[in-house]
Amino acid sequence: MNMAVDPQPVPELAPAALQLSGITRSFDEGARELHILKGADLRIEAGEMVALVAPSGTGKSTLLHIAGLLERPDGGDVFLGPVNCSDLSDDERTAIRRNDIGFVYQFHHLLPEFTAQENVMMPQMIRGLPRKVAAERADELLAYLRLGERGSHRPSELSGGEQQRVAVARAVANAPRILLLDEPTGNLDPNTANYVFEALSALVRASGVATLFATHNLGLAGRMDRAITLEDGLVQPLSTTG
């Protein structure tokens, strides 16, 4: 005799550090509308490094801007943990960007009139931390990135790789949950790019921050947990081997 078996419920996944669900984004281009993202989905766990490898014009920067709450999508939702940021006001989104998201760009954007230490202190002091606490955290991060003796130097006195490591320290100074990087090694020679990546990777593993790293460097992409690309407005897995 056949006995019916009750189907077991599928357990729900815990909220990801970052999740994009059904993201759409279009831009007006003269007489036509250009559809860049067409329902893109992406999930990144805490401590996971995901490479985003995609040609220019496919929506890479748009995806990063939406993930970083710098831009609102036309449709879909952006979750940081259990929080749906699509429902938040502009002021609330700004507070999350300041406290929970770190950014590193191809150009370091350090403040030229301030030292390396002061650049790393700045986001902490904006958040309201006392100067002494911000300075101690800056010194700790700079030392971790092998810049302990460069804290009193201004950006013009640092090499390109050193400047970019200061930018990494600044991005993680507030212990963000999400780290977004847009070609941070694109202007560096291969040896310096590798050094910056190694330092960044160590910080990510130590802190458990969820990381989305846009790069054209397939060698670096292959060293991350996984790689994705954008095809016809959707996120797709990308093989970095063979």
Side-chain angles (χ1 to χ4, degrees):
M1 182 176 66
N2 292 330
M3 298 182 63
V5 177
D6 291 334
Q8 295 298 311
V10 177
E12 291 187 12
L13 291 174
L18 172 66
Q19 183 168 349
L20 309 183
S21 179
I23 299 297
T24 61
R25 189 73 172 98
S26 301
F27 297 94
D28 290 327
E29 191 180 68
R32 69 190 183 106
E33 190 173 32
L34 190 62
H35 298 278
I36 298 295
L37 300 175
K38 305 176 183 178
D41 296 319
L42 176 61
R43 179 184 175 97
I44 304 180
E45 308 295 342
E48 186 180 23
M49 289 188 76
V50 177
L52 172 58
V53 184
S56 298
T58 57
K60 174 170 60 68
S61 293
T62 299
L63 188 74
L64 284 169
H65 289 167
I66 289 173
L69 308 185
L70 293 167
E71 186 176 326
R72 289 187 185 266
D74 297 325
D77 295 302
V78 179
F79 292 88
L80 267 66
V83 178
N84 187 345
C85 299
S86 306
D87 299 333
L88 302 180
S89 68
D90 288 343
D91 287 345
E92 290 170 324
R93 287 162 63 91
T94 297
I96 288 179
R97 274 200 311 274
R98 182 178 63 239
N99 299 330
D100 295 324
I101 304 175
F103 299 90
V104 183
Y105 299 99
Q106 182 171 359
F107 301 100
H108 52 77
H109 297 301
L110 298 176
L111 298 172
E113 67 272 28
F114 293 102
T115 66
Q117 184 204 51
E118 289 166 342
N119 268 278
V120 181
M121 291 169 60
M122 199 67 63
Q124 302 177 73
M125 295 178 68
I126 290 173
R127 189 176 182 176
L129 290 179
R131 183 179 184 86
K132 183 176 184 294
V133 174
E136 290 173 352
R137 169 71 170 162
D139 289 343
E140 175 186 322
L141 286 168
L142 291 173
Y144 191 89
L145 294 168
R146 301 184 190 176
L147 292 168
E149 297 181 355
R150 309 293 276 167
S152 62
H153 291 69
R154 288 182 169 78
S156 61
E157 301 171 304
L158 303 174
S159 69
E162 288 172 335
Q163 291 172 356
Q164 202 61 308
R165 277 183 283 154
V166 174
V168 168
R170 180 181 60 185
V172 301
N174 279 336
R177 291 188 290 165
I178 310 297
L179 185 59
L180 303 173
L181 304 105
D182 193 358
E183 296 288 349
T185 61
N187 285 331
L188 305 177
D189 65 79
N191 287 336
T192 304
N194 180 68
Y195 190 90
V196 170
F197 176 79
E198 289 288 352
L200 172 66
S201 180
L203 265 179
V204 168
R205 303 307 183 197
S207 64
V209 61
T211 303
L212 182 59
F213 189 126
T215 181
H216 285 105
N217 187 324
L218 288 176
L220 291 185
R223 295 164 62 187
M224 300 188 214
D225 295 311
R226 59 189 170 98
I228 58 173
T229 189
L230 286 166
E231 292 180 4
D232 194 29
L234 300 175
V235 172
Q236 303 287 359
L238 175 71
S239 174
T240 56
T241 60

